Amino acid sequence: MSDKLEKSIFEVLVAVFPSLNGQIDYNWGPNDIKEWDSLNHLNLAMSLNEKFSIELEFEDVLSIETIGDIFLMLRKKGIN
């Protein structure tokens, strides 16, 4: 994984979840990030679609349970 990809993902995360303040753990999920509710889960998916010019399928969106899952899902989409 490139530093550029990590930086891009972190930019999306901080935009959707402002409470992160740049502190990000790959194991964090909805139970760890106070703003991560169902609406912001959709906002996260839409932001990832826009940032990486991809179209996430319903299954892709459901597969994101932690920040680390975002990286796995993007790799499956061919984004490194």
Side-chain angles (χ1 to χ4, degrees):
M1 171 182 49
S2 72
D3 289 340
K4 183 179 177 185
L5 175 62
E6 187 173 59
K7 183 178 183 231
S8 295
I9 292 171
F10 287 179
E11 287 172 359
V12 169
L13 289 168
V14 170
V16 176
F17 310 121
S19 70
L20 292 177
N21 293 326
Q23 297 180 345
I24 297 172
D25 184 305
Y26 288 79
N27 296 312
W28 287 350
N31 294 330
D32 306 295
I33 301 170
K34 66 180 177 179
E35 299 108 335
W36 196 333
D37 57 17
S38 57
L39 180 59
N40 273 335
H41 192 86
L42 294 175
N43 287 337
L44 173 62
M46 292 184 331
S47 295
L48 291 168
N49 281 341
E50 186 175 319
K51 182 78 170 183
F52 296 102
S53 300
I54 59 174
E55 190 166 321
L56 297 179
E57 301 295 327
F58 183 69
E59 293 80 22
D60 298 324
V61 176
L62 291 180
S63 74
I64 300 172
E65 296 180 3
T66 66
I67 290 172
D69 291 337
I70 296 169
F71 290 87
L72 294 173
M73 183 270 308
L74 289 175
R75 279 192 212 117
K76 288 180 187 175
K77 295 282 186 188
I79 297 171
N80 296 308

